[in-house]
Amino acid sequence: MKYSMKKISITLQDIFDLPGAEIVHPELLKPINMVSIDSRTVKKGGLYVAIKGEKHDGHTFVESAFENGASAVMIKSSQYKKFSHLEKPLILVSDTVKSLGDLAKVWRSKLDAMVIAITGSNGKTGTKDYAATILSSLGKVTATVANNNNHIGVPLTLFSAKGTDQYVVAEAGTNHFGEIPYTAAIAQPDIALITNIGDSHLEFLQDRKGVLKEKSALFDAAAAHGGLVVVNIDDPLLKKLVKRYPKVMTYGTSDGADVKGVIDGPDAFGKTTLTIQYKKKKAVLIPPVAGWHNAFNVLAACAAALAAGAGLDALKKGVAKLKAPKQRLNITELKSLVLIDDTYNANPASMKAGIEFAAAIYPEKRRYLVLGDMFELGADAVVRHQELAKLKAFKNITMTLTVGKSMLHLNEALVKKGMDAKHFSSPAKLLSFLSKSDFQNAVVLVKGSRGMKMETYVPAIIGGVK
């Protein structure tokens, strides 16, 4: 792809066109070349947008932003009296978060880059990272940092894109109805991919049909923009959407997929082989990431890259560079300990995948599970935790250690089945137990939802290798 030398800026006319905006000292406003919600990172020629968060109100740092070189600051109209003495360009709006999104849509309209948006119940961050890495061999890429994927994160991802970029890979997340429609309308994706529909965020999205309704808004936005939707036909709910959209590419392990993957493994060391079949050609890939589900995420990323114009050679180069996202099935071998750090987050599907993976690798070693609660499951929380005990993988587990109110139900279900399991009423008690345990010649999986802070147990496990 040919590199663009285009520079993007927000002009005075763009601000005048912003819904509901008023400008103080417009004669002093210079073209804006970057947007930030952090007064410490705003640069000369930048716009600082003051947003009230859970801990801090961005309006507190308005003058600091100007001192750091901001060309203009966006504030709530109700806050203007505090700053009326400033002879600086101030943009007054009723809601700075909404106006951040409106302005991001303007920035998006000026990008020449192909925008690829990814969502799903599981694997969206890994798929996003993998797709960005693969596409980087073809041109300049900007991608969502970590999982900064909400109503503020998606606009910030777009603002981070430069006029010289060829691709923007944006992750879109949700836990309430309306978030995906909002961010998708801002991103206006050329390519949209949904990894799967699972039991995530059921506290607010109610059930899988609710999840599908929310997530499919990304497809709707792409179609409205004349874009392509990339459908996982292994997912029965997503497969039903194939005929709804005019431009579709399918992927999966099922026969008939436009991009078909054959996944062999994982082997005793967790590695897999992924064979991709596309347009009567094949590519055999060895993803340097662990687990069957990560290999499937690589398949999804490859499908997104192929949809964006990549060839099989680009897939080979890109996949060789892949790394597992931090705290997502990261394997560390320390002496005789194999530690599986999957502490970033958890829902029923990813928990199942993690347990099955831990039970399958290094068959000669003892296996321990250190599990914390899965959040945002609403009324289904008890059942979803209990259901995990049905996994055949537990037959290969030496001991399951749980913490959290919901994980108590898994513990009780395992004990009833005669499995070796211990539940701890507090993080401190679990930490004490781990600190006194010997994890020589063992595989240990640590996993739970973000709020459980399961990463705090990792040092104690590592210390259990004498």
Side-chain angles (χ1 to χ4, degrees):
M1 182 178 288
K2 187 176 180 180
Y3 282 77
S4 171
M5 299 302 291
K6 179 179 179 180
K7 292 185 178 180
I8 298 176
S9 63
I10 299 294
T11 66
L12 179 60
Q13 187 60 53
D14 292 328
I15 301 299
F16 277 132
D17 292 341
L18 202 63
E22 297 179 53
I23 310 173
V24 179
H25 294 303
E27 73 282 0
L28 300 178
L29 184 69
K30 297 179 180 179
I32 293 164
N33 55 35
M34 64 90 69
V35 178
S36 176
I37 62 171
D38 187 336
S39 64
R40 297 167 298 181
T41 62
V42 72
K43 298 177 182 177
K44 185 177 180 180
L47 169 67
Y48 170 64
V49 181
I51 291 176
K52 185 174 183 180
E54 294 181 3
K55 296 182 179 179
H56 303 289
D57 186 342
H59 293 85
T60 306
F61 308 104
V62 167
E63 296 193 42
S64 296
F66 278 124
E67 290 171 3
N68 289 337
S71 292
V73 169
M74 179 183 286
I75 62 172
K76 292 186 68 172
S77 303
S78 60
Q79 299 283 323
Y80 175 58
K81 286 186 178 180
K82 297 179 183 178
F83 307 107
S84 59
H85 63 285
L86 295 175
E87 294 186 5
K88 300 280 188 179
L90 291 171
I91 303 168
L92 313 182
V93 297
S94 60
D95 184 337
T96 53
V97 172
K98 182 180 183 302
S99 293
L100 178 76
D102 290 335
L103 205 56
K105 190 181 294 186
V106 174
W107 193 274
R108 163 67 178 99
S109 70
K110 299 187 180 194
L111 290 171
D112 289 333
M114 180 180 291
V115 175
I116 301 157
I118 297 170
T119 191
S121 296
N122 303 288
K124 55 185 175 290
T125 300
T127 301
K128 174 262 300 180
D129 288 340
Y130 302 154
T133 299
I134 293 168
L135 290 170
S136 67
S137 64
L138 300 179
K140 293 184 179 180
V141 181
T142 286
T144 300
V145 176
N147 70 332
N148 198 13
N149 60 20
N150 63 6
H151 61 297
I152 294 175
V154 171
L156 292 179
T157 296
L158 293 170
F159 283 128
S160 68
K162 306 288 192 299
T164 53
D165 285 334
Q166 278 73 55
Y167 305 98
V168 176
V169 185
E171 178 182 336
T174 182
N175 60 10
H176 288 81
F177 283 116
E179 287 191 80
I180 295 291
Y182 175 76
T183 55
I186 294 170
Q188 300 175 55
D190 298 298
I191 296 171
L193 185 149
I194 303 175
T195 57
N196 48 49
I197 301 298
D199 298 317
S200 60
H201 308 299
L202 298 184
E203 183 176 0
F204 301 106
L205 299 180
Q206 301 171 3
D207 54 26
R208 289 195 180 192
K209 289 184 179 179
V211 176
L212 178 66
K213 179 182 178 182
E214 175 70 7
K215 300 286 188 183
S216 62
L218 192 69
F219 282 172
D220 295 340
H225 182 62
L228 173 73
V229 303
V230 183
V231 181
N232 170 12
I233 61 169
D234 287 1
D235 187 296
L237 291 177
L238 290 175
K239 186 177 182 180
K240 294 178 181 179
L241 302 182
V242 170
K243 295 182 180 179
R244 182 188 294 183
Y245 302 101
K247 296 181 181 179
V248 177
M249 172 186 277
T250 61
Y251 76 95
T253 60
S254 303
D255 291 336
D258 296 324
V259 182
K260 183 180 178 181
V262 178
I263 302 173
D264 294 318
D267 61 18
F269 305 102
K271 299 298 182 183
T272 56
T273 299
L274 170 62
T275 302
I276 288 185
Q277 302 171 12
Y278 178 63
K279 292 185 175 180
K280 298 182 180 180
K281 294 183 179 180
K282 289 185 179 182
V284 179
L285 311 173
I286 310 296
V289 292
W292 192 96
H293 62 297
N294 266 329
F296 194 86
N297 293 339
V298 173
L299 170 61
C302 287
L306 290 168
L312 294 181
D313 287 342
L315 300 190
K316 292 178 181 179
K317 292 178 182 178
V319 169
K321 300 176 183 177
L322 298 184
K323 295 181 180 179
K326 186 179 179 182
Q327 295 175 308
R328 290 174 172 87
L329 216 70
N330 294 158
I331 297 178
T332 300
E333 294 186 50
L334 183 66
K335 295 182 181 179
S336 62
L337 167 68
V338 177
L339 175 67
I340 307 171
D341 184 347
D342 202 16
T343 57
Y344 188 79
N345 214 340
N347 58 39
S350 67
M351 184 68 79
K352 174 179 179 290
I355 293 170
E356 289 179 338
F357 178 73
I361 64 172
Y362 293 88
E364 76 283 359
K365 293 181 180 289
R366 297 176 296 144
R367 302 146 197 277
Y368 294 85
L369 306 178
V370 182
L371 308 178
D373 285 354
M374 300 179 289
F375 290 167
E376 296 186 20
L377 295 176
D380 289 338
V382 172
V383 172
R384 296 303 182 194
H385 284 79
Q386 287 175 332
E387 284 179 342
L388 292 172
K390 297 178 182 179
L391 294 176
K392 295 179 181 179
F394 277 104
K395 293 180 180 179
N396 294 332
I397 300 301
T398 305
M399 182 181 292
T400 301
L401 310 173
T402 55
V403 65
K405 293 180 180 179
S406 294
M407 272 297 168
L408 173 61
H409 301 290
L410 171 60
N411 169 265
E412 292 173 343
L414 290 173
V415 170
K416 285 182 180 179
K417 297 183 73 170
M419 304 291 183
D420 196 350
K422 294 181 182 295
H423 183 77
F424 299 85
S425 59
S426 71
K429 290 182 179 180
L430 172 57
L431 193 61
S432 176
F433 180 87
L434 294 173
S435 299
K436 298 173 183 177
S437 299
D438 179 5
F439 293 109
Q440 290 187 92
N441 195 37
V443 174
V444 183
L445 168 71
V446 189
K447 187 168 181 62
S449 281
R450 183 90 296 269
M452 293 299 293
K453 299 180 179 180
M454 299 302 291
E455 67 274 10
T456 59
Y457 303 111
V458 169
I461 294 166
I462 292 174
V465 181
K466 309 302 181 183

